[in-house]
Amino acid sequence: MISLKPRSILLISAIFRVGLILVGEWQDTHMEVRYTDVDYLVFSDAASLMASGQSPYKRTTYRYSPLLAFLLIPNSFISRCWGKFLFSASDLFVGLFIRIILKQRKVPDDLCTYSMLIWLFNPFTFTIGTRGNCEPIVCAIILWIIICLINGNVVQAAFWYGLIVHFRIYPIIYVLPIVIFLDPRFFRYGTKPLLSDWTSDPGKARQINSELIDKCAVCDVWKSTFTRSRILFGLISGTVFLLCTGFFFHLYGWEFLHEALLYHLTRTDARHNFSIYFYHIYLNYERELSVLEKLVSFLPQFIVQLVLILCFAKDLVFCFFVQTVAFVAFNKVITAQYFVWFFCVLPLILPWSNMKLKWKGLCCILLWMGAQTHWLLWGYLLEFKGKNVFLQLWMASLLFLAANTFILIVLIRHHNYGPVFRQHTDLKTTKTT
């Protein structure tokens, strides 16, 4: 399988996804359990409303940017599967972008192929798009932003970043590491940044690690803060976000602002929620939680995010990964689709990990799957059997958080840290003299 060319892998992946979409349509028609994600029906209804000139927010539970409904308007006149094909195409772009990023870092061909396969043939990820979930679009744009940054294209990276934060608010967590990453020692006007190449030499990796620790991001956060690249990124991304938000606010008013943005800050779900906070939400479900109660859950998230950013921002891709895992694990609402947010970055960090699949890697995979399956068992008893197992489900949520935290620590300990860029030779000479 490894001898296959990237084009062949992408072609097989595309055929496989088309087959899943068609089988899913048959299953929806002939079987009691539907293949299509219930959110896809919400997207489609919102798109139909927009096509007829109405607000997509007339569809209850539609809490996304109007851009998503706009992209799915062809569902109404081409095919109801249009969105699934669009999301699956984005899924394939994620696989392609994974290869592009790794090849630019001089990662060997076989490792690039393995990394593509980990995404393209992961049962969790290939079902996300084919069931009609929009997360592959977000994943593809996040990886495209990384490609723009490592190529020194700050303007394009800023444009897409502003757009994706409007589209799906969670990528706002990446703004500080990106600002730190735009180090003036590497981003110089008129000169393309020099990428640090991948290495399998443990001695060289340790040397890079010690250099990275010596130049910890904490020391560099305030050094040359207002550089051209940072100001440009902030201005463009902020302008794009505000233009999109202002335009749709003009069209749909407060309803858009609340449903697409503000709702997610105070969202509380007592069901279908892996989070440790769900039990508190359930116990207080009959009374309206105060804004302070809804926002206090962000404090642990904020502290963890800040520590991870200040430690790993120079190793941007790894920083994105650990940030996303921690953000999801400590969030007050966790649904299964959130896991794809860090699955798309996972293949990009594996070539820099010295953890062997046998046995430690396999144990981490089984631990994560086991903790999730354990939670789903109690969730099944609650949702389908109507049993009062809220306390047991909360204990399962605690176990799931512990499993995520343990695996995150293991991955950090086995990662060969290294900044994405190296300094220009002339700059080093200038500093030496």
Side-chain angles (χ1 to χ4, degrees), residues 282-432:
Y282 163 71
L283 292 176
N284 295 275
Y285 198 70
E286 292 186 358
R287 75 174 180 89
E288 180 67 24
L289 294 175
S290 67
V291 175
L292 180 62
E293 285 180 293
K294 291 179 179 180
L295 294 178
V296 73
S297 63
F298 287 108
L299 183 60
Q301 267 185 322
F302 176 78
I303 295 172
V304 173
Q305 289 291 310
L306 190 60
V307 171
L308 292 174
I309 289 168
L310 295 179
C311 288
F312 305 121
K314 293 302 176 72
D315 192 348
L316 187 68
V317 177
F318 185 69
C319 186
F320 276 15
F321 175 77
V322 294
Q323 270 190 276
T324 313
V325 173
F327 178 81
V328 172
F330 287 89
N331 204 26
K332 67 178 181 295
V333 175
I334 306 173
T335 62
Q337 70 191 54
Y338 292 3
F339 303 144
V340 78
W341 294 350
F342 55 80
F343 277 163
C344 71
V345 191
L346 177 62
L348 296 175
I349 70 166
L350 292 181
W352 281 267
S353 177
N354 56 33
M355 181 168 57
K356 302 295 184 184
L357 180 61
K358 184 181 178 181
W359 291 99
K360 190 169 287 188
L362 191 59
C363 286
C364 286
I365 294 171
L366 293 176
L367 175 62
W368 191 82
M369 292 178 63
Q372 187 182 27
T373 304
H374 175 246
W375 188 96
L376 290 171
L377 172 63
W378 294 110
Y380 171 78
L381 293 175
L382 174 67
E383 298 286 342
F384 291 92
K385 298 299 182 181
K387 296 185 179 296
N388 185 4
V389 291
F390 281 98
L391 183 59
Q392 293 91 327
L393 192 61
W394 179 61
M395 296 297 290
S397 295
L398 290 173
L399 181 63
F400 189 60
L401 173 63
N404 276 282
T405 304
F406 173 79
I407 293 169
L408 185 59
I409 292 171
V410 171
L411 288 170
I412 289 173
R413 289 173 62 88
H414 286 83
H415 183 72
N416 289 323
Y417 311 104
V420 175
F421 299 124
R422 51 192 171 89
Q423 290 187 26
H424 290 271
T425 308
D426 60 334
L427 184 59
K428 285 184 177 180
T429 305
T430 304
K431 286 190 174 183
T432 304

Side-chain angles (χ1 to χ4, degrees), residues 97 100-101 104 142-152:
F97 292 161
I100 290 173
I101 293 169
Q104 288 189 318
I142 292 295
L143 295 197
W144 180 248
I145 291 169
I146 293 174
I147 291 173
C148 292
L149 287 171
I150 65 177
N151 284 294

Side-chain angles (χ1 to χ4, degrees), residues 9-141:
I9 294 173
L10 288 171
L11 180 60
I12 293 170
S13 302
I15 294 171
F16 180 59
R17 282 160 172 75
V18 170
L20 279 176
I21 291 171
L22 296 178
V23 170
E25 287 297 301
W26 180 89
Q27 181 176 325
D28 289 348
T29 306
H30 295 88
M31 298 180 69
E32 183 179 357
V33 179
R34 295 175 60 89
Y35 181 78
T36 300
D37 193 324
V38 66
D39 283 345
Y40 186 71
L41 305 178
V42 176
F43 302 160
S44 299
D45 291 346
S48 179
L49 287 167
M50 181 176 274
S52 62
Q54 301 180 66
S55 168
Y57 299 104
K58 286 188 176 180
R59 175 51 161 101
T60 55
T61 72
Y62 181 76
R63 299 188 174 100
Y64 301 85
S65 166
L67 281 175
L68 177 58
F70 176 77
L71 291 173
L72 266 61
I73 285 178
N75 275 19
S76 305
F77 58 87
I78 294 180
S79 168
R80 63 182 181 182
C81 295
W82 164 268
K84 294 182 181 179
F85 286 110
L86 177 65
F87 301 152
S88 296
S90 302
D91 192 5
L92 296 176
F93 272 110
V94 172
L96 177 63
F97 292 161
I98 287 170
R99 180 174 178 82
I100 290 173
I101 293 169
L102 294 179
K103 287 300 291 181
Q104 288 189 318
R105 296 292 304 276
K106 302 292 193 298
V107 174
D109 246 5
D110 57 340
L111 285 179
C112 291
T113 304
Y114 276 123
S115 297
M116 282 183 69
L117 294 174
I118 287 170
W119 170 264
L120 291 172
F121 292 97
N122 181 335
F124 185 86
T125 57
F126 64 62
T127 55
I128 285 290
T130 56
R131 293 185 67 226
N133 193 286
C134 67
E135 300 304 339
I137 290 180
V138 183
C139 295
I141 294 179

Side-chain angles (χ1 to χ4, degrees), residues 48-275:
S48 179
L49 287 167
M50 181 176 274
S52 62
Q54 301 180 66
S55 168
Y57 299 104
K58 286 188 176 180
R59 175 51 161 101
T60 55
T61 72
Y62 181 76
R63 299 188 174 100
Y64 301 85
S65 166
L67 281 175
L68 177 58
F70 176 77
L71 291 173
L72 266 61
I73 285 178
N75 275 19
S76 305
F77 58 87
I78 294 180
S79 168
R80 63 182 181 182
C81 295
W82 164 268
K84 294 182 181 179
F85 286 110
L86 177 65
F87 301 152
S88 296
S90 302
D91 192 5
L92 296 176
F93 272 110
V94 172
L96 177 63
F97 292 161
I98 287 170
R99 180 174 178 82
I100 290 173
I101 293 169
L102 294 179
K103 287 300 291 181
Q104 288 189 318
R105 296 292 304 276
K106 302 292 193 298
V107 174
D109 246 5
D110 57 340
L111 285 179
C112 291
T113 304
Y114 276 123
S115 297
M116 282 183 69
L117 294 174
I118 287 170
W119 170 264
L120 291 172
F121 292 97
N122 181 335
F124 185 86
T125 57
F126 64 62
T127 55
I128 285 290
T130 56
R131 293 185 67 226
N133 193 286
C134 67
E135 300 304 339
I137 290 180
V138 183
C139 295
I141 294 179
I142 292 295
L143 295 197
W144 180 248
I145 291 169
I146 293 174
I147 291 173
C148 292
L149 287 171
I150 65 177
N151 284 294
N153 195 336
V154 177
V155 172
Q156 192 174 157
F159 170 83
W160 288 106
Y161 183 73
L163 188 66
I164 200 60
V165 170
H166 164 82
F167 187 82
R168 202 82 164 93
I169 193 67
Y170 91 89
I172 192 68
I173 66 174
Y174 303 138
V175 66
L176 185 54
I178 291 176
V179 168
I180 297 173
F181 181 73
L182 295 173
D183 193 317
R185 292 175 298 177
F186 311 122
F187 284 84
R188 303 169 63 193
Y189 181 69
T191 307
K192 186 177 179 179
L194 299 177
L195 287 171
S196 298
D197 295 341
W198 176 85
T199 178
S200 60
D201 181 3
K204 188 173 181 181
R206 281 193 295 271
Q207 180 184 356
I208 294 172
N209 293 350
S210 63
E211 289 175 0
L212 180 63
I213 293 170
D214 290 340
K215 298 173 181 177
C216 180
V218 178
C219 305
D220 293 330
V221 169
W222 303 113
K223 185 189 295 184
S224 304
T225 304
F226 298 107
T227 63
R228 180 181 182 275
S229 296
R230 287 167 176 165
I231 293 172
L232 196 62
F233 184 87
L235 285 175
I236 294 175
S237 60
T239 301
V240 171
F241 173 80
L242 290 174
L243 283 175
C244 291
T245 304
F247 175 73
F248 289 120
F249 180 73
H250 174 71
L251 289 180
Y252 305 117
W254 173 256
E255 194 175 31
F256 150 71
L257 204 59
H258 177 264
E259 297 293 345
L261 298 174
L262 299 179
Y263 167 81
H264 298 283
L265 296 176
T266 56
R267 179 182 177 185
T268 53
D269 287 6
R271 300 284 181 100
H272 320 294
N273 186 359
F274 287 84
S275 173

